Amino acid sequence: MKILLVEDEPGIVSVISRGLTETGMEVSVAADGRTGLEMVLKYDFDLVILDIMLPEMNGIQVCREIRKRNNSIAILMLTALSSTENVVTGLDSGADDYQVKPFKFAELEARIRTLVRRSKSDSTPKTLISIADLELDTTAKTAKRNGKLIALTATEYRLLEFFAQNKNKVLSRIQLLENVWDINVNMGTNVVDVYVNYLRKKVDNGFPVKLIHTVFGMGYVLKEEGPE
């Protein structure tokens, strides 16, 4: 189980990280809200433990930004503010549950396991994936933009679907080669760049909002807004 802990108090970070690691969980840490948001968008986590009072961006802001892009990841809010108003604000921002400080570690662990179980049981295979006006039907293996069917080869479709399944995440060329093409493909080939160019011509040409972006030195990303 992969956990992202977004917390700026070293003592709390130490207690939670050590405790969760001892139970077999993999814990990553961000010390401010902006870094935490960036990590959620770049990497896969099963759950985010999110403090409300954070530098750069507070937990409520981070939670709202996560939910704009990812509805499936479980979010547990940590708060020293236990009033009903504050709890409701946290849940309304998209959190699945909250834990008031101070807390017993066993209670926190139980909440985490419950949230992850619920998240996994609620997730069902998607037949439709949408981003902006682009829609993929993963059953029919078709793609449309603004309601118009896009003619794709089998390889172009596989590449576009992998992008769509990982929308808003930067994908390296090696990740794309391993997941879209044969694992034994020559890693020195420029096949990824060639096919990304094919997709751009079919998916983005003629539309004011571009969806396929290059992140220099890292790879490519499918998202509605331009790269940071």
Side-chain angles (χ1 to χ4, degrees):
M1 188 185 303
K2 294 183 178 181
I3 307 292
L4 174 63
L5 172 60
V6 189
E7 171 63 68
D8 65 326
E9 294 184 36
I12 294 178
V13 169
S14 177
V15 169
I16 294 178
S17 296
R18 185 173 63 251
L20 294 180
T21 300
E22 288 175 355
T23 65
M25 300 182 194
E26 182 180 329
V27 182
S28 300
V29 177
D32 64 78
R34 194 170 301 280
T35 301
L37 177 59
E38 291 172 354
M39 290 176 70
V40 171
L41 299 183
K42 288 182 180 179
Y43 306 106
D44 289 324
F45 296 100
D46 297 298
L47 179 138
V48 179
I49 302 173
L50 184 60
D51 189 25
I52 287 185
M53 305 300 292
L54 291 167
E56 301 292 335
M57 292 176 69
N58 66 47
I60 300 297
Q61 293 171 312
V62 174
C63 189
R64 285 174 178 155
E65 289 302 313
I66 291 173
R67 284 296 180 238
K68 287 179 183 178
R69 301 163 171 83
N70 188 331
N71 277 321
S72 60
I73 191 170
I75 300 176
L76 174 63
M77 283 283 197
L78 288 182
T79 177
L81 310 171
S82 58
S83 72
T84 300
E85 180 180 351
N86 287 311
V87 169
V88 169
T89 299
L91 296 177
D92 282 350
S93 70
D96 298 288
D97 200 357
Y98 67 94
Q99 177 67 63
V100 177
K101 302 176 184 177
F103 53 84
K104 293 181 179 179
F105 179 77
E107 182 181 359
L108 177 68
E109 184 187 4
R111 286 181 183 274
I112 289 171
R113 294 193 181 279
T114 298
L115 283 178
V116 172
R117 279 199 304 270
R118 184 194 308 165
S119 167
K120 289 183 177 179
S121 66
D122 287 346
S123 61
T124 55
K126 294 181 180 179
T127 57
L128 293 178
I129 306 175
S130 299
I131 179 168
D133 56 354
L134 175 67
E135 181 179 271
L136 273 71
D137 185 326
T138 60
T139 301
K141 304 297 182 186
T142 58
K144 295 179 180 179
R145 182 138 194 207
N146 197 26
K148 184 179 179 180
L149 189 66
I150 304 170
L152 298 172
T153 67
T155 302
E156 289 169 348
Y157 176 81
R158 287 200 308 272
L159 178 58
L160 184 58
E161 181 176 305
F162 189 69
F163 271 129
Q165 289 171 340
N166 295 276
K167 59 186 178 182
N168 301 310
K169 294 180 182 178
V170 177
L171 300 170
S172 70
R173 288 171 176 81
I174 290 178
Q175 284 178 295
L176 294 169
L177 283 168
E178 290 177 342
N179 287 278
V180 178
W181 283 270
D182 191 289
I183 191 68
N184 296 316
V185 73
N186 178 4
M187 291 302 180
T189 182
N190 68 341
V191 66
V192 170
D193 306 280
V194 170
Y195 269 86
V196 167
N197 189 47
Y198 290 162
L199 281 185
R200 280 185 165 137
K201 290 178 179 178
K202 294 185 175 183
V203 173
D204 280 342
N205 278 7
F207 292 90
V209 177
K210 308 305 180 187
L211 300 180
I212 303 171
H213 305 279
T214 301
V215 182
F216 293 103
M218 298 179 68
Y220 298 100
V221 61
L222 180 73
K223 62 178 181 179
E224 183 171 356
E225 62 273 37
E228 301 295 331

